Amino acid sequence: WWLPTLAILVTLILTEVGFRLFTAAHEPAHVGEQVYATNPRGYFVPCDDGENFCVPGSKAGQCAEPIPDKKQLLLVGDSFTYGEGVRPEDVLSARLTLGPDWQLRNCAEAGNNLRQIKESHAAESARARPDLTIYALVLNDLPCEGPLATTGEGKDGADGTDIINDYIHFRTENFGTYLEKRGEAWGAMSWLLNLRTVSWFYRRWVVKDIAERTQTSYQKCLADQRVDWFLDEVAKLQTDTGHLMVMIWPLFVDLHEYPFTAGHARLREGLRRKGIAHLDLLPTFAGQRAEALQVHPTDFHPNEKAHAQAAAALQKWLDAKSTP
């Protein structure tokens, strides 16, 4: 009996040594907006601190002053359309070609929710009423309850896992604390988590579990009756513009078996019923490898390749409508 036991022990020891030699002790840190701990695609440049990587260039001029006597195409939305993690010249709005009588102004801002978008749109309309407003909708704009409605510990029984992974960012600084709390449930066996082999598999199981909870939260939100209220609020943007179009971004997760296809269909149908023009970008990205379209392994915003594809789809829509 001792030979099989010895073989198992040797295998476990060699496996542990292998994991310690060839796997990282921790995931890359989530540093912050437009700042990254690693540069896996070589797209970023070193930050001034010499430790992290930053996105070069400034997007300060995207929402420029209106030019008198120019027709106005106004883009509103959040960080997806603003271009989080993307150089200014690579952002969707910089890739569009307009007629000489038109000015495109990208007034999307990172972190905007629908209320802020409506306020910003009204303010911009007071400066220069847009002939066409394009609201770039992201699924986290919707009025969800539970984990996706909070930035803290959650409400209505939520566990707050969205502050780790909301399918927009994976925040590793919060993940470490969450792992420790989950590890307490191991009780007397918690020492096993000191083994790199066990820790490696456990971390990945927890990441998968968090992602599944996040997915369920979005699906519940997209099936909720408040989606109709949300679209009623979106329709109010028409008050301050000549024409309104809603462009729907997908979330850049599992585009082969996209978990929110039904939700996109519900949004399209709701917009159709309200007579609001719309462009769903999901068909543009369906079936592609999501990781190849993300800014960074901890930042799931659309990268420069995704912005290029989105711009091509939007340009085709504009050309078909002869606007501009």
Side-chain angles (χ1 to χ4, degrees), residues 242-315:
H243 299 279
L244 173 66
M245 190 271 265
V246 175
M247 183 179 73
I248 306 171
W249 283 101
L251 296 176
F252 288 88
V253 292
D254 196 0
L255 294 167
H256 290 281
E257 297 183 12
Y258 188 63
F260 312 118
T261 300
H264 278 246
R266 182 177 181 187
L267 290 171
R268 293 194 306 270
E269 176 59 23
L271 291 166
R272 185 194 64 77
R273 288 199 311 268
K274 296 181 186 303
I276 301 174
H278 53 277
L279 171 65
D280 189 355
L281 293 177
L282 179 56
T284 299
F285 299 107
Q288 296 190 53
R289 181 171 166 267
E291 292 79 5
L293 299 169
Q294 296 170 352
V295 163
H296 187 268
T298 62
D299 185 343
F300 309 146
H301 284 86
N303 65 16
E304 71 281 2
K305 297 176 183 177
H307 272 263
Q309 294 183 44
L314 179 53
Q315 186 74 60

Side-chain angles (χ1 to χ4, degrees), residues 86-126:
V86 178
R87 299 183 184 192
E89 64 269 22
D90 293 332
V91 174
L92 173 151
S93 53
R95 297 174 178 271
L96 297 174
T97 302
L98 307 184
D101 297 332
W102 285 80
Q103 179 188 11
L104 187 155
R105 302 172 62 233
N106 184 355
C107 294
E109 294 184 21
N112 267 358
N113 56 32
L114 181 58
R115 177 185 59 79
Q116 293 166 324
I117 288 168
K118 288 169 60 181
E119 291 173 355
S120 171
H121 184 252
E124 294 300 333
S125 180

